[in-house]
Amino acid sequence: MNNNLNIVFMGTPEFSVPSLKKLIEKFDVKAVFTQPDKPKGRGKKISLSAVKEVALEHNIPIYQPQRIKNEPEIIAKLKEINPDFIIVVAFGQILSKDILDIPKYACINLHASILPKLRGAAPINWAIINGESVSGNTTMLMDVGLDTGDMLLKDKVTITDDMTAGDLHDILMERGADLLVETIDKYVRGEITPEKQNNEDSNYAPMLTKQSGKIVWNNNSKDIANLVKGLNPHPLAYTNYKEKVMKIHKAKVMKKVYEELPGTIIKVDEDGILISSKDGSVLVEIIQFPGKKAMQVKDYIRGNSIEEGVILA
């Protein structure tokens, strides 16, 4: 392994952190680019990105462009650094061709799906929501398109029945760091043949919005349960119970079919809230109301009531 390689790292959220730490351990990270600091929470306290915190710990120069492709002084700085690789992991900004052409070897992106499936901003969530059985990471050469570059290496992960988006995120976050190091090492040695993506096999994983979490009870039970898992821990699936938003953290498919309209609360007990759906029913086990903590249904109903017969909207 060539430990003298100069790396510029671009990333922002927690998902990027293991990759940055592994690159610092194995190579010479010359600079870190991350999104600008943002106010967060009710107090609007300035929040640093997870990547910036790691860079500060290691005294690595940090750059936080608003729009990197529109800032000539940033592009000039990158040329001055003259990196062997630019490595991008969930940076959150699009790179121009001027930037892609700077490194000696390549700009490499770690993407949390098995490309060409699930290009876009939220591949981990949509893998669960769509009921996929396999996910994973792909390293690829970057081009000016959105996750359309030539593929380098892949690492597949089986999605188990009870896996949430949070679970999958944590697995891919750690394994992606190792895949990046392997990709850089093999690329320098000429042991990887880049593979074109077949656009006909691609689909899109759009950014999640609050509306993405609204449960349609007239859907199949499995689709509802997948939505709950795919939006856990954020932004969470939800429904309206008597005009109050009820967020749902955990739910599972029940096979029994009921005559009541989809969304009807059939039964409430220690096991959870049993709700009718298009093809069967769903048992909701963990809920959260506004201003309250998430609770097991069995704990919630000790001091509160959930009425049977109510139709959720």
Side-chain angles (χ1 to χ4, degrees), residues 208-265:
L208 297 170
T209 66
K210 182 181 178 183
Q211 195 61 27
S212 303
K214 185 168 176 58
I215 294 173
V216 177
W217 293 104
N218 199 35
N219 284 341
N220 293 331
S221 302
K222 188 174 182 180
D223 292 338
I224 293 169
N226 284 340
L227 182 70
V228 171
K229 291 184 292 184
L231 298 182
N232 182 325
H234 181 80
L236 292 172
Y238 69 93
T239 190
N240 292 313
Y241 171 78
K242 291 188 170 183
E243 300 183 354
K244 288 173 65 177
V245 173
M246 181 170 73
K247 293 182 177 179
I248 298 177
H249 289 249
K250 187 177 181 182
K252 65 181 180 183
V253 174
M254 305 297 282
K255 293 182 179 179
K256 187 170 181 181
V257 178
Y258 294 89
E259 294 181 357
E260 285 83 352
L261 288 172
T264 302
I265 296 177

Side-chain angles (χ1 to χ4, degrees), residues 269-272 284-285 295-303:
D269 59 19
E270 292 279 306
D271 293 329
V284 171
E285 297 172 289
M295 298 180 72
Q296 294 270 356
V297 169
K298 64 181 180 181
D299 295 325
Y300 181 83
I301 61 176
R302 285 179 186 146

